[in-house]
Amino acid sequence: MSVASLRRAARESVSGLPREFWWLWTSTLVNRLGAFVATFMALYLTLERGYSAVFAGVVASLYGLGGVLSSLAGGVMADRLGRRPTLLVAQVATGLSVTLLGFMEHPVAIAAVAFLVGTASNASRPAVQAMMADIVRPEDRLRAFSLNYWAINLGFAVSSMGAGFIAEFSYLAGFLIEGGMTLLCAVVVFLKLPESRPVREAASVEESPVGLGTVLRDGRFMGLVGLSFAVAFIFQQGAVGLPVAMGEAGFTPADYGMAIAVNGVLIVVLQIPVTRFIQHRDPGRLLLVSSVLAGAGFGLTAFAGSVGVFALTVCVWTLAEIVNAPTQTGLVVRLSPVHGRGRYQGMYTMSWAVASLIAPVFSGLVIDRFGAEWLWGLCAVVGMVAGVGFAALARWLPTEETRAAELSDGSERAERADEAEALSRAEEADGAEDAARVAEAYGAEHALRVAEADGAEHAPRVASAAGCGKPGVSPAV
């Protein structure tokens, strides 16, 4: 491929996304660049503070438990209070609690503040995903989620390398830097991100309210959540089962570091080009393939006898991760009602949080009692079962149009109007200069209101672009 082709591909991968998305993306990247504490927390507790490995495990579990509880709470807040207030509260609370954790010395105080850190840090995730769904057009969401996942892994790769150097200098410095960078993310949200929560239009005022009970009764979505938990359990083994198994086989921590580093490198290098390849493909089939591939990748670990072979198995399940992450997140949006995106994203986020809480204990038990080979065989079986589950779920997946009709209580245009509402806020701030594009993409009626609210000077052009005879008259749909 020529340099010109590479440049064109890169330009197409990042073009067409709204400015608000890039500020949200920047906030995510800054947050992950400063994520030092999770990397060195176990070493800090055992080496710096002199606590036992059991206590370090208890603290890690409390951190995970906080994330489980805040997943749903963050989703509810994102729907009730708004995406922006939820992000601000979560990020400010995370920055302050991380900073406070660095000064705690008593074991009870450390455990309590670690629980607060886990609670605060995970509360922002449903809001981020819901805001991204609000501000990005449906056809661009897979690309947007993929770019966001790329930023997460790029930031994590850099912070993981930096954590070791910072820990040698001062563990407290790591806590202070992470706290400061998280507060910087809150500043970015406060200054650059408007509220994106869709405002109920006349077409959707009759829509039934969305509560957690609504989410739990949505059998199709809860099926996706269950499958998400199964896949998340598999991927967690890269951080919990793999290092333990390699250690028992006589490999050093440095060997594990070399093998797992392949995961971050491949995601940074392949995430964007792979997304271009899968962008318009059936999500059910993609999730089927990625689940089976994830199980197979960890299953092959049972036959690994060298660092090179371990690295090859990491390559296999990393490719599955690259396909799974944006596809599954996009499917969650597709199955979520517009005014319940926060709660639906919260339930989805909780499936990963629960997996991260259960996987370490379960994996340890299996390895201790039966051996690592049984764990890798179980991963292969779970991957195959999850793949079959996704294949079955795909048969009942609605089209975008069908799901919009289901969730708008018979109004075919409610979701589309709400999508336009979120996009138009940014355009109002720019003087409604792109109102004609909104009219072409979403219909004239909503865009005309935007233009008229800005002094009606753009209304004639909007009407012309949308095919209207005069402002205030929408074309037939």
Side-chain angles (χ1 to χ4, degrees), residues 285-446:
R285 293 181 180 178
L286 292 175
L287 292 174
L288 162 63
V289 172
S290 65
S291 300
V292 174
L293 199 60
F298 281 101
L300 291 172
T301 308
F303 304 99
S306 66
V307 175
V309 178
F310 275 114
L312 287 176
T313 66
V314 172
C315 289
V316 175
W317 59 259
T318 296
L319 183 59
E321 184 181 357
I322 290 171
V323 174
N324 177 274
T327 305
Q328 198 162 253
T329 307
L331 189 56
V332 171
V333 175
R334 182 172 164 183
L335 294 176
S336 306
V338 174
H339 298 290
R341 281 178 180 153
R343 289 174 173 85
Y344 273 67
Q345 289 288 355
M347 184 65 71
Y348 167 69
T349 301
M350 191 182 74
S351 68
W352 284 81
V354 172
S356 67
L357 186 63
I358 293 177
V361 177
F362 185 87
S363 303
L365 289 174
V366 172
I367 292 175
D368 286 344
R369 294 193 177 187
F370 305 104
E373 293 79 8
W374 280 85
L375 177 63
W376 306 134
L378 177 64
C379 286
V381 172
V382 172
M384 293 183 64
V385 171
V388 173
F390 279 120
L393 182 66
R395 298 178 59 186
W396 286 277
L397 286 180
T399 63
E400 293 285 355
E401 295 77 9
T402 302
R403 187 60 174 169
E406 291 177 2
L407 299 174
S408 62
D409 198 21
S411 174
E412 296 177 356
R413 296 180 57 191
E415 182 173 358
R416 191 174 57 177
D418 287 320
E419 298 279 356
E421 177 75 27
L423 180 61
S424 70
R425 285 195 178 96
E427 292 162 348
E428 291 176 31
D430 290 334
E433 293 178 358
D434 295 319
R437 180 167 59 84
V438 181
E440 292 171 349
Y442 295 102
E445 184 175 356
H446 179 79

Side-chain angles (χ1 to χ4, degrees), residues 7-359:
R7 288 178 178 176
R8 183 171 61 254
R11 186 168 55 250
E12 291 174 354
S13 297
V14 301
S15 64
L17 295 170
R19 182 174 51 191
E20 288 75 17
F21 165 79
W22 289 111
W23 283 115
L24 187 61
W25 183 89
T26 301
S27 175
T28 298
L29 180 61
V30 171
N31 185 283
R32 294 296 174 170
L33 286 171
F36 302 120
V37 173
T39 303
F40 62 60
M41 190 63 186
L43 294 176
Y44 167 74
L45 292 174
T46 55
L47 299 181
E48 180 74 4
R49 292 296 184 185
Y51 292 112
S52 66
V54 173
F55 178 74
V58 170
V59 171
S61 296
L62 287 172
Y63 179 94
L65 179 62
V68 171
L69 298 178
S70 66
S71 298
L72 293 179
V76 173
M77 287 174 62
D79 283 341
R80 288 189 175 180
L81 302 181
R83 295 24 165 162
R84 186 171 180 265
T86 302
L87 279 176
L88 288 172
V89 170
Q91 290 177 343
V92 170
T94 302
L96 295 178
S97 59
V98 165
T99 302
L100 181 63
L101 183 59
F103 293 96
M104 294 295 100
E105 297 183 2
H106 193 278
V108 175
I110 291 174
V113 177
F115 174 79
L116 293 178
V117 173
T119 301
S121 62
N122 212 49
S124 64
R125 294 180 183 178
V128 169
Q129 293 166 342
M131 178 176 277
M132 205 167 293
D134 294 338
I135 63 181
V136 176
R137 295 180 299 180
E139 60 269 27
D140 293 330
R141 282 178 186 152
L142 180 63
R143 184 159 54 99
F145 286 130
S146 189
L147 287 168
N148 190 65
Y149 193 67
W150 183 81
I152 290 172
N153 283 277
L154 176 62
F156 180 75
V158 174
S159 66
S160 296
M161 291 185 292
F165 295 104
I166 292 174
E168 290 184 3
F169 170 72
S170 168
Y171 281 104
L172 179 59
F175 287 99
L176 295 178
I177 292 173
E178 178 166 346
M181 294 188 73
T182 306
L183 292 175
L184 178 60
C185 293
V187 172
V188 171
V189 171
F190 180 76
L191 295 178
K192 295 297 184 179
L193 285 174
E195 177 55 57
S196 69
R197 181 178 56 168
V199 178
R200 291 181 182 271
E201 300 263 338
S204 60
V205 292
E206 298 299 328
E207 183 180 349
S208 300
V210 178
L212 289 178
T214 308
V215 182
L216 293 172
R217 290 190 297 270
D218 190 338
R220 185 164 46 195
F221 178 77
M222 291 307 297
L224 175 63
V225 170
L227 294 171
S228 168
F229 169 79
V231 173
F233 174 84
I234 297 174
F235 285 128
Q236 287 294 323
Q237 301 312 318
V240 294
L242 185 60
V244 173
M246 289 185 68
E248 289 194 347
F251 293 94
T252 67
D255 293 332
Y256 167 73
M258 292 177 61
I260 200 63
V262 175
N263 174 256
V265 172
L266 284 182
I267 291 176
V268 171
V269 172
L270 296 180
Q271 185 70 64
I272 294 177
V274 169
T275 299
R276 285 175 55 83
F277 177 75
I278 68 174
Q279 189 167 3
H280 301 294
R281 299 181 185 274
D282 177 60
R285 293 181 180 178
L286 292 175
L287 292 174
L288 162 63
V289 172
S290 65
S291 300
V292 174
L293 199 60
F298 281 101
L300 291 172
T301 308
F303 304 99
S306 66
V307 175
V309 178
F310 275 114
L312 287 176
T313 66
V314 172
C315 289
V316 175
W317 59 259
T318 296
L319 183 59
E321 184 181 357
I322 290 171
V323 174
N324 177 274
T327 305
Q328 198 162 253
T329 307
L331 189 56
V332 171
V333 175
R334 182 172 164 183
L335 294 176
S336 306
V338 174
H339 298 290
R341 281 178 180 153
R343 289 174 173 85
Y344 273 67
Q345 289 288 355
M347 184 65 71
Y348 167 69
T349 301
M350 191 182 74
S351 68
W352 284 81
V354 172
S356 67
L357 186 63
I358 293 177

